[in-house]
């Protein structure tokens, strides 16, 4: 579980809260201008939708299809199918919104923390051969391509260990503790 303790003694343990705190504290240009009410509202809307509608199905699909097999656990086909369907339905709605509005990023025309929240699990989906959840949707594919043109995103995706490497590290550490 990600946790930080700030220099003023605040302990934070939730990744989205930590990310927003770091953006504010270090002036990362990943949040909307607080004086632009419309931009703030759209950001909050999309930040909430990612958390409420995207995170659980994508995390469950990855857990069932990638992590469980690597841990030697049996995949739950019903859970996998239910969450694939929920993920697909959510992305269909997002595709429609991106297509109709012409927006470039999840919260509008500016790359924000919302986009980063999508990139991490979607990069895992691509890694596991399931990138068609994005590439089969033209407007979302265009968003993905725009994000991947950013040097920091390219570097992130290139440097993050893949699931197999993470699981090998996990197993090695578990064996060392025994």
């Amino acid at each position: 579980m990600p946790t930080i303790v700030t220099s003023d003694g605040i302990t934070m343990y939730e990744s989205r809260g930590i990310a927003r705190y770091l953006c504010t504290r270090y002036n990362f240009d990943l949040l909307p201008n607080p004086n632009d009410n419309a931009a703030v509202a759209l950001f909050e809307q999309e930040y909430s939708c990612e958390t409420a509608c995207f995170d659980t199905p994508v995390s469950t699909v990855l857990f069932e299809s990638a992590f469980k097999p690597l841990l030697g656990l049996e995949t739950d086909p019903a859970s996998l199918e239910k969450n694939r369907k929920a993920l697909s339905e959510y992305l269909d709605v997002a595709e429609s919104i991106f297509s109709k509005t012409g927006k470039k990023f999840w919260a509008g025309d500016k790359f924000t923390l919302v986009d980063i929240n999508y990139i991490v699990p979607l990069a895992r989906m691509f890694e596991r051969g399931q990138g068609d959840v994005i590439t089969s949707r033209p407007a979302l594919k265009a968003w993905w391509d725009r994000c991947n043109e950013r040097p920091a995103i390219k570097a992130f995706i290139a440097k993050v260990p893949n699931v197999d490497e993470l699981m090998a590290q996990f197993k090695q550490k578990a064996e060392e503790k025994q």
Side-chain angles (χ1 to χ4, degrees):
M1 172 174 295
T3 305
I4 67 168
V5 178
T6 66
S7 58
D8 51 353
I10 298 171
T11 300
M12 291 188 208
Y13 54 84
E14 199 281 323
S15 60
R16 286 174 184 80
I18 291 169
R20 285 176 88 152
Y21 168 80
L22 294 172
C23 286
T24 302
R25 178 164 184 174
Y26 296 105
N27 296 315
F28 296 141
D29 190 26
L30 295 171
L31 299 173
N33 178 338
N35 297 319
D36 183 340
N37 292 333
V40 170
L42 290 173
F43 176 88
E44 293 299 335
Q45 170 185 281
E46 295 304 331
Y47 206 74
S48 294
C49 287
E50 183 276 330
T51 302
C53 304
F54 173 78
D55 184 59
T56 296
V58 77
S59 295
T60 303
V61 167
L62 287 168
F63 182 68
E64 291 291 344
S65 67
F67 288 97
K68 272 188 167 181
L70 289 170
L71 290 168
L73 301 172
E74 193 172 318
T75 298
D76 178 348
S79 175
L80 182 58
E81 183 56 34
K82 173 186 166 191
N83 284 284
R84 276 192 176 145
K85 183 178 183 211
L87 178 61
S88 182
E89 289 171 354
Y90 178 73
L91 293 174
D92 285 345
V93 170
E95 172 69 17
S96 176
I97 292 169
F98 267 80
S99 295
K100 288 178 184 173
T101 64
K103 67 181 182 175
K104 294 180 181 177
F105 298 101
W106 283 89
D109 288 335
K110 178 185 175 195
F111 181 83
T112 68
L113 193 54
V114 174
D115 298 288
I116 291 172
N117 288 347
Y118 282 92
I119 288 168
V120 175
L122 288 173
R124 292 278 183 233
M125 294 291 286
F126 274 90
E127 170 194 316
R128 304 312 292 173
Q130 300 178 54
D132 62 318
V133 298
I134 294 299
T135 59
S136 65
R137 295 169 172 88
L140 290 180
K141 181 184 182 307
W143 163 80
W144 181 256
D145 291 344
R146 270 189 296 283
C147 291
N148 280 285
E149 291 170 2
R150 301 175 68 84
I153 300 302
K154 275 186 193 176
F156 167 79
I157 290 174
K159 288 182 182 179
V160 172
N162 69 34
V163 172
D164 297 310
E165 292 168 349
L166 289 173
M167 295 311 297
Q169 291 171 11
F170 174 75
K171 287 179 182 178
Q172 181 182 2
K173 287 183 181 185
E175 290 170 1
E176 289 170 2
K177 288 183 179 183
Q178 293 177 350

